Amino acid sequence: MQKNIAVLRGDGIGPEIMEEALRCLDAVERRFGHSFATSEALLGGAAIDAVGAPLPAETLAVCKASDAVLLGAVGGPKWEHLPGDARPEKGLLGLRQGLGVYANLRPATLFPQLAAASPLRADIAAAGIDFLVVRELIGGIYFGVHKTEEKGGQQVATDVMEYSESEIERILHVAFGAAQKRRGKVTSVDKANVLDTSRLWRAVAGRVAQQYPSVEFENMLVDNAAMQIVKNPAQFDVVVTENMFGDILTDEASMITGSIGMIPSASLGAPGAPGLFEPIHGSAPDIAGKNLANPVGTILSVGMMLRYSLGMPTEADAVEAAVLAVLESGLRTADAAGPDDVPVGCEEMGRAVAAAIGKA
């Protein structure tokens, strides 16, 4: 099978973690006899430096013409002096919107081999952490009107959060569909005691839930959800929420699993459209180029790409099994290493996973 992959290395540690992800994709190619053609394009700070824009038109065109998009990371202090519309993160938001990837899937899984790295109490971690956050990705406050103006002699800033019924319905259907393939429970997170957008969200969620009688359903306020994620994460199966709440809760969820460097993500839109796959961590410019980054989140993003966009579940299983095998062997990058571990570098971890993929 031949597939076309758009590769956006991005900024900071993006290029080095992408190198290991592509090494693992090459291992899949060799083992299963596929052909993956990659097309590189610029995004974020790298694009600003090269052409003066965080999302060049050529990059969006390359991505739209691909079967899937693999992204490293964007951003960094180097570009923080720029106005908001010109920063690297604006390129990422534009890419998501341009591809129409409205559903972001972020697993929160504590690998048994990394149980000691979780900051949670041992008995809480032992109960299990294995849930999926389904985050609405191209609506809400991140894509609303943003303005700063002078009123009464001072600067006043406004950010508008807006959601339509159809936007809420489509992300809820993704969540319930995912729950049907998992343990059959959906938790919808909102702030319905304060926000009109959340009251609409809760009303639509209740209607959609009626279409899935086999799935257990509950509503939860976002502040309670933030507490429950650290108090009793085992209660969750699929968590669905709007854009900003999802951004915050997924970062919290990633840390209870031991390391943010271990978590992949998939951003999906209409069937047949290219999905966007990336680790959830940032560009970590302080360790860029030092062979210290953890490539596992990006490698597992390759697994999600194989599963969700390329229709290759067996190959995805092979990537995930290889990661587990390497962790079982004791290899750890510094972010996930315990006091008795000798951490390995980004390249060594990537090579080890690629070798494990190559073993039938």
Side-chain angles (χ1 to χ4, degrees):
M1 190 177 293
Q2 181 170 341
K3 296 293 183 180
N4 298 312
I5 313 299
V7 174
L8 314 178
R9 294 177 183 263
D11 310 318
I13 61 173
E16 55 199 288
I17 57 176
M18 182 63 71
E19 193 64 28
E20 302 317 313
L22 294 177
R23 191 189 309 279
C24 291
L25 188 62
D26 287 345
V28 171
E29 185 178 55
R30 291 192 300 272
R31 175 173 167 182
F32 293 95
H34 300 309
S35 176
F36 298 115
T38 58
S39 299
E40 303 239 1
L42 296 172
L43 181 72
I48 293 170
D49 290 349
V51 300
L55 177 59
E58 180 183 353
T59 294
L60 186 56
V62 167
C63 293
K64 286 184 174 181
S66 68
D67 294 301
V69 181
L70 193 59
L71 169 64
V74 298
K78 179 181 179 181
W79 303 280
E80 287 180 353
H81 67 282
L82 297 173
D85 285 349
R87 291 186 181 183
E89 294 78 8
K90 191 67 175 180
L92 178 57
L93 294 178
L95 179 63
R96 291 169 176 171
Q97 191 169 42
L99 294 176
V101 287
Y102 63 87
N104 180 239
L105 311 183
R106 293 191 178 188
T109 304
L110 177 61
F111 295 101
Q113 298 88 348
L114 296 181
S118 174
L120 296 183
R121 217 171 55 215
D123 60 313
I124 297 175
I129 302 172
D130 179 18
F131 61 93
L132 177 71
V133 180
V134 178
R135 167 191 172 192
E136 200 290 321
L137 199 60
I138 57 174
I141 201 166
Y142 290 176
F143 288 88
V145 174
H146 308 285
K147 63 180 180 179
T148 302
E149 55 191 339
E150 187 170 320
K151 290 183 179 180
Q154 63 179 333
Q155 295 290 298
V156 177
T158 303
D159 300 290
V160 176
M161 180 188 291
E162 180 177 289
Y163 271 109
S164 67
E165 289 182 287
S166 59
E167 287 176 312
I168 300 169
E169 284 175 355
R170 67 183 182 180
I171 195 68
L172 263 294
H173 282 297
V174 172
F176 278 94
Q180 287 179 318
K181 299 174 183 178
R182 290 173 52 93
R183 300 189 302 277
K185 180 182 178 182
V186 168
T187 303
S188 178
V189 173
D190 58 41
K191 191 62 177 172
N193 58 337
V194 176
L195 302 176
D196 271 16
T197 49
S198 283
R199 284 189 275 272
L200 178 61
W201 185 286
R202 183 168 290 206
V204 173
R207 291 203 307 265
V208 173
Q210 294 176 8
Q211 302 175 40
Y212 298 87
S214 64
V215 177
E216 181 184 352
F217 173 70
E218 65 177 352
N219 293 299
M220 187 175 291
L221 294 176
V222 64
D223 38 4
N224 185 29
M227 291 185 286
Q228 294 299 324
I229 284 174
V230 295
K231 180 182 179 183
N232 181 21
Q235 69 183 282
F236 295 114
D237 179 25
V238 175
V239 176
V240 60
T241 191
E242 60 87 40
N243 205 342
M244 183 171 66
F245 296 161
D247 191 3
I248 297 166
L249 293 179
T250 51
D251 282 351
E252 179 191 19
S254 70
M255 288 311 298
I256 66 173
T257 63
S259 171
I260 197 171
M262 299 292 299
I263 309 299
S265 77
S267 300
L268 309 174
L276 173 63
F277 302 87
E278 58 181 311
I280 74 166
H281 59 70
S283 62
D286 57 317
I287 62 170
K290 299 179 180 179
N291 195 32
L292 295 174
N294 186 346
V296 172
T298 318
I299 293 168
L300 289 174
S301 295
V302 168
M304 295 189 82
M305 178 181 72
L306 294 165
R307 188 179 306 282
Y308 289 104
S309 272
L310 304 187
M312 301 178 180
T314 301
E315 291 83 342
D317 290 344
V319 171
E320 293 166 4
V323 168
L324 286 174
V326 169
L327 292 176
E328 188 65 33
S329 75
L331 287 188
R332 307 281 189 274
T333 48
D335 57 301
D340 298 325
D341 295 323
V342 178
V344 300
C346 178
E347 183 177 349
E348 185 175 349
M349 179 63 81
R351 288 184 179 278
V353 176
I357 291 171
K359 296 178 180 178

